[in-house]
């Protein structure tokens, strides 16, 4: 009996890896450092859930001087679904939490970037918009957080 069933061992390894990523960035004080640490932690978590990274920090401009949108992580699910993922990290829930910070303006910017990205496909795959919200030590993955039609 002394062996772990493979999925249990895999989950334990993923949990350990995610924790290592979080600790590696943990003491950083800037907003950018917090965001980078959150993005790395989210990516580790999503990869442990079976998703594969396609692209990171995909940016598109609306015009020469106008901001467009950015997708933090573009991933592919085992079923072929393309996932556009926004990562929000906050040190605490003091100002409403990370998930609440993905408002309609941010959603529109993500949809714009996703539409631009999907132009490279003759026949776009199914896709969805996910959010990974990190509040302090708590990570929450919200698959299909919004539909992209608004």
């Amino acid at each position: 009996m002394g062996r772990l069933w493979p999925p249990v061992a895999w989950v334990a390894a993923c949990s350990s890896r995610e924790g290592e990523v979080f600790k590696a960035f943990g003491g950083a004080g800037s907003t950018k450092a917090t965001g980078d640490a959150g993005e790395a932690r989210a990516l580790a978590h999503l990869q442990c859930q079976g998703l594969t990274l396609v692209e990171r920090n995909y940016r598109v401009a609306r015009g020469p001087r106008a901001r467009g949108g950015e997708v933090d992580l573009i991933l592919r699910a085992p079923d072929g679904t393309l996932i556009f993922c926004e990562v929000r990290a906050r040190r605490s829930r003091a100002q409403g939490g990370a998930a609440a910070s993905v408002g309609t303006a941010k959603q529109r910017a993500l949809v714009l970037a996703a539409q631009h990205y999907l132009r490279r496909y003759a026949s776009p795959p199914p896709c969805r918009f996910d959010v990974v919200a990190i509040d302090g030590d708590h990570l929450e993955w919200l698959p299909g957080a919004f539909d992209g039609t608004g």
Side-chain angles (χ1 to χ4, degrees), residues 13-26 41 44:
C14 283
S15 297
S16 171
R17 182 173 148 216
E18 183 184 320
E20 289 170 15
V21 168
F22 184 66
K23 288 176 190 168
F25 290 92
R41 183 175 174 205

Side-chain angles (χ1 to χ4, degrees), residues 2-150:
R3 294 182 3 190
L4 290 173
W5 188 54
V8 173
W10 180 69
V11 168
C14 283
S15 297
S16 171
R17 182 173 148 216
E18 183 184 320
E20 289 170 15
V21 168
F22 184 66
K23 288 176 190 168
F25 290 92
S30 75
T31 303
K32 173 147 176 39
T34 300
D36 289 346
E39 196 172 292
R41 183 175 174 205
L43 177 58
H45 178 80
L46 294 171
Q47 287 175 324
C48 285
Q49 304 304 312
L51 303 181
T52 305
L53 180 65
V54 174
E55 194 152 345
R56 195 170 184 167
N57 299 318
Y58 179 78
R59 292 181 178 100
V60 61
R62 196 175 300 248
R65 290 183 185 78
R67 292 180 74 180
E70 177 185 357
V71 179
D72 294 326
L73 302 170
I74 301 174
L75 306 119
R76 188 167 304 276
D79 68 358
T81 300
L82 202 56
I83 299 166
F84 298 96
C85 185
E86 174 67 10
V87 178
R88 288 296 174 111
R90 300 288 182 265
R91 292 188 190 137
S92 71
R93 289 182 160 266
Q95 297 181 356
S101 71
V102 184
T104 56
K106 183 61 180 177
Q107 290 175 21
R108 278 195 299 271
L110 287 166
V111 169
L112 173 78
Q115 288 171 336
H116 186 271
Y117 183 84
L118 290 170
R119 288 184 191 145
R120 63 181 66 187
Y121 292 95
S123 177
C127 60
R128 72 172 192 242
F129 293 93
D130 290 5
V131 171
V132 173
I134 303 170
D135 292 297
D137 290 341
H138 178 72
L139 181 146
E140 184 176 13
W141 175 26
L142 304 166
F146 61 96
D147 64 12
T149 60

